[in-house]
Amino acid sequence: DTGVSQNPRHKITKRGQNVTFRCDPISEHNRLYWYRQTLGQGPEFLTYFQNEAQLEKSRLLSDRFSAERPKGSFSTLEIQRTEQGDSAMYLCASSLAGTVPEAFFGQGTRLTVV
Amino acid sequence: SQQGEEDPQALSIQEGENATMNCSYKTSINNLQWYRQNSGRGLVHLILIRSNEREKHSGRLRVTLDTSKKSSSLLITASRAADTASYFCLALAAQGAQKLVFGQGTRLTINP
């Protein structure tokens, strides 16, 4: 499978616990994006990387959220001290940098905080 | 990039009819892309139109771009039940950060 892969697909956690999601982009893609999506809404931008550099982080992202892409390949998104409001689908996408960056999305990780 | 705004927010038509969705944006762009999202899944790239193009076709999809009005439309002809999904546009500026910001989308329902 040469597409964008996200793990796990589903995660149920208790409020206050930490969770970590992983995204494996398409191998030659140097850009990687994280989004959060709730029911009936469009994907909400969280952050994106070019190679290992985190170029931008949404102001919506509290300090409980952190993302890394240590070697410019896979990325992790960690949420500390989860809250019920964190329940959402977390989407990852990758693309090549350039003027025509077609983005390829993974299937997402659905987080439920109980 | 900049956020495109899709219109209408929801559209419900009968199978076989044509569906038209619109997208508006605010500043000059390099290209505009349309994506589809089936319920609970990731987004899938459908079609891209460059700023120097006015119309583009791909199968049953037809995209138009009017840079003077800063708007685009996506037409799906002979709709099928499998076209039921949310559709998003993405307007990309020529310069600056390209963080791919999506709007709220158009929720299309095809009734059998």
Side-chain angles (χ1 to χ4, degrees):
Chain A
D1 186 353
T2 57
V4 178
S5 175
Q6 290 188 247
N7 288 288
R9 292 291 307 278
H10 303 274
K11 178 71 176 178
I12 300 174
T13 191
K14 290 185 178 178
R15 191 170 48 187
Q17 297 293 306
N18 299 343
V19 293
T20 300
F21 310 139
R22 176 175 171 128
C23 173
D24 287 90
I26 292 171
S27 58
E28 63 268 26
H29 283 183
N30 49 7
R31 285 208 174 149
L32 187 147
Y33 311 83
W34 283 100
Y35 295 88
R36 177 174 62 193
Q37 188 176 29
T38 53
L39 196 63
Q41 302 296 311
E44 183 179 44
F45 171 80
L46 294 179
T47 189
Y48 85 111
F49 294 84
Q50 180 156 319
N51 301 314
E52 65 275 10
Q54 189 172 17
L55 295 189
E56 189 163 345
K57 186 175 172 179
S58 169
R59 277 172 282 180
L60 298 170
L61 219 58
S62 76
D63 56 6
R64 296 185 299 106
F65 287 72
S66 63
E68 293 183 344
R69 194 182 183 199
K71 297 180 181 178
S73 57
F74 74 91
S75 176
T76 57
L77 177 67
E78 182 183 15
I79 309 174
Q80 296 182 326
R81 305 181 302 280
T82 52
E83 301 172 357
Q84 285 191 317
D86 297 331
S87 295
M89 175 77 86
Y90 290 82
L91 294 168
C92 174
S94 71
S95 75
L96 289 169
T99 56
V100 190
E102 175 185 340
F104 293 81
F105 280 79
Q107 294 302 304
T109 294
R110 181 167 295 284
L111 173 66
T112 302
V113 181
V114 297
Chain B
S1 66
Q2 58 179 295
Q3 185 171 330
E5 294 296 334
E6 297 87 355
D7 171 64
Q9 289 189 353
L11 179 62
S12 181
I13 61 173
Q14 295 299 121
E15 194 167 19
E17 294 180 341
N18 296 343
T20 300
M21 289 158 273
N22 302 299
C23 170
S24 60
Y25 57 92
K26 291 191 168 69
T27 61
S28 297
I29 62 169
N30 180 288
N31 65 79
L32 187 141
Q33 303 176 27
W34 284 91
Y35 288 78
R36 181 186 70 218
Q37 184 180 35
N38 291 91
S39 182
R41 310 294 291 273
L43 281 74
V44 174
H45 182 269
L46 292 177
I47 194 167
L48 178 150
I49 187 164
R50 297 176 191 269
S51 60
N52 61 354
E53 298 175 313
R54 292 295 167 259
E55 188 171 311
K56 199 159 182 182
H57 297 255
S58 176
R60 293 184 296 112
L61 304 180
R62 173 177 166 247
V63 170
T64 62
L65 180 65
D66 187 334
T67 52
S68 66
K69 295 181 180 177
K70 294 186 171 52
S71 67
S72 172
S73 67
L74 172 66
L75 169 68
I76 304 174
T77 60
S79 62
R80 304 168 182 170
D83 295 328
T84 294
S86 291
Y87 291 81
F88 298 89
C89 68
L90 189 66
L92 283 173
Q95 303 295 332
Q98 295 179 339
K99 62 182 182 182
L100 306 188
V101 178
F102 292 89
Q104 295 302 306
T106 292
R107 174 69 191 167
L108 175 64
T109 302
I110 308 300
N111 302 303

